[in-house]
Amino acid sequence: MRSTSPRAGAWSGIRAAVIDAPGAAPRVGPVELPPRTAGATLVSVVAAPLNPLDLVIASGTFHSARHEDPYVPGSECVGVVLDSDRHSPGSWVYAECHASPETPGSLATRVLVGDDDLLPLPEGVDPVRAAAVGNSGTAAYMPLVEEAALRAGETVLVLGATGAVGQLAIQVAHQHGAGRVVGVARDRAALERLTDLGADAVVELRTDESTQELAERLLAVSGPVDVVLDGIYGAPLEAALQVCAPRARVVNVGNPAGPTARIPAGLLRGRQLTLSGFAGLHTPLRSKRTALTWLWNALARDELQVDVRTFPLDDLLAAWQTQAVSPHAKCVVLPQATDAPDHPTPDPSRRDGSTRP
């Protein structure tokens, strides 16, 4: 964005979400993008997922990024190329954005993205669903398949299984031949739906239950666990470690249950556990291509389920509030739904990249 402050009311050109200061509620207003330069691509945004990461960064509490000045949030989108030196105008693409006061994010009608931060979208995949499995899908696929190297017949435990990442992880594990997949979360009704996604069993987290009691219930349901995808950290992870088989692999992708967990040294060494963390924010898009290709192809074949809730840009605050309460679905903003009538916008039903007035 240009240096003109949005507080001065001087921005114009496109409409976008704006976070004015750490902890401020998002608003929608006009924003001016700078001219496109070599190495960047201008994209008309069709679908921009709202991720937990976006909310944490906006709150000012994220460990790796804090923005004191106003900025446009949004970390990913699917859209149509409007102008580029590398990517064909009219082509459908998936884009990753690194939002900051200097670099507007994807929650806007248009976005400028580095050429290396775009991937072509395959034919036959719905743009909104393709966007919905971007950040969440890679956070499920890469830890399980690439980091933990899941092998056929192994037992997988998914902590935080009812969220967008967890639901996709259940399906990824099942479709990659896991012998047993167990989902763990707090919402009983949401847990029960996981069996339709490939979970063999579920375990409900209970308030005020001790770590040992949870570990005993996990073991009774799962038996020794070979791979843990941990999306919550804290006490649930402590319990999960107790049911790990020798040489189990544990990958953490989030910590809503707490920022710390106790890991006994004897347990770690005695069972020769491998503990690691995955952060999509710090993983370049080129490294995610294999995961995204698998996810998009699975969507095109109707082999992957994703629950999507869509919101026009003008309803951004409602989308933000919905995401804040863990909706067990993917919130996706459709910026073009309320765009100005004279602005040509991509029609998601037309995969040839055509636009409608």
Side-chain angles (χ1 to χ4, degrees):
M1 290 183 290
R2 293 184 179 174
S3 58
T4 303
S5 169
R7 286 185 291 253
W11 289 358
S12 62
I14 66 170
R15 300 181 69 249
V18 177
I19 301 295
D20 288 304
R27 62 177 175 86
V28 176
V31 173
E32 183 176 343
L33 287 179
R36 187 189 70 82
T37 57
T41 293
L42 180 64
V43 175
S44 181
V45 181
V46 173
L50 186 58
N51 294 302
L53 175 65
D54 300 319
L55 272 66
V56 175
I57 292 176
S59 73
T61 62
F62 186 54
H63 55 76
S64 296
R66 178 181 170 91
H67 306 312
E68 300 296 340
D69 295 325
Y71 75 102
V72 174
S75 50
E76 60 178 335
C77 68
V78 162
V80 173
V81 173
L82 296 176
D83 188 22
S84 178
D85 297 324
R86 184 188 300 182
H87 303 279
S88 300
S91 61
W92 286 82
V93 292
Y94 169 81
E96 280 198 337
C97 305
H98 306 284
S100 72
E102 295 75 31
T103 307
S106 60
L107 289 167
T109 52
R110 294 182 179 186
V111 66
L112 279 169
V113 184
D115 290 344
D116 291 335
D117 291 325
L118 295 173
L119 287 177
L121 205 63
E123 290 293 331
V125 61
D126 176 76
V128 176
R129 297 176 75 218
V133 301
N135 183 297
S136 296
T138 53
Y141 183 99
M142 294 181 73
L144 286 172
V145 178
E146 299 179 8
E147 183 73 21
L150 172 64
R151 296 184 289 269
E154 291 190 313
T155 296
V156 176
L157 192 67
V158 179
L159 301 179
T162 57
V165 174
Q167 291 180 44
L168 289 168
I170 293 290
Q171 297 174 78
V172 168
H174 176 73
Q175 294 188 36
H176 278 79
R180 187 165 180 79
V181 183
V182 179
V184 182
R186 295 193 181 280
D187 189 309
R188 185 67 202 179
L191 276 169
E192 291 175 351
R193 294 193 290 268
L194 296 182
T195 56
D196 293 334
L197 303 181
D200 297 287
V202 297
V203 176
E204 180 183 1
L205 294 174
R206 297 171 181 169
T207 303
D208 298 329
E209 182 178 41
S210 71
T211 300
Q212 184 59 41
E213 289 170 334
L214 174 58
E216 291 171 358
R217 288 199 298 122
L218 289 175
L219 187 62
V221 170
S222 66
V225 172
D226 303 295
V227 174
V228 178
L229 180 66
D230 170 37
I232 52 181
Y233 214 60
L237 174 61
E238 295 175 11
L241 292 175
Q242 295 185 36
V243 303
C244 281
R247 297 188 181 277
R249 291 89 69 202
V250 181
V251 187
N252 172 260
V253 296
N255 61 288
T260 61
R262 294 172 296 179
I263 302 174
L267 178 63
L268 180 64
R269 296 198 307 273
R271 298 189 190 176
Q272 297 179 282
L273 305 180
T274 298
L275 306 181
S276 60
F278 173 82
L281 179 65
H282 303 302
T283 304
L285 184 58
R286 63 180 177 273
S287 298
K288 300 175 182 176
R289 185 163 193 155
T290 298
L292 288 168
T293 298
W294 186 92
L295 292 160
W296 291 335
N297 287 337
L299 281 176
R301 296 190 300 265
D302 288 327
E303 295 175 353
L304 201 62
Q305 297 183 45
V306 54
D307 186 6
V308 179
R309 300 184 188 180
T310 59
F311 301 80
L313 184 58
D314 280 342
D315 286 346
L316 175 67
L317 185 57
W320 203 270
Q321 293 169 340
T322 300
Q323 179 59 58
V325 295
S326 302
H328 310 304
K330 195 67 186 178
C331 296
V332 178
V333 176
L334 309 180
Q336 307 297 348
T338 54
D339 199 17
D342 60 346
H343 177 75
T345 59
D347 183 349
S349 68
R350 300 283 301 276
R351 289 306 320 281
D352 58 3
S354 62
T355 60
R356 55 179 172 81

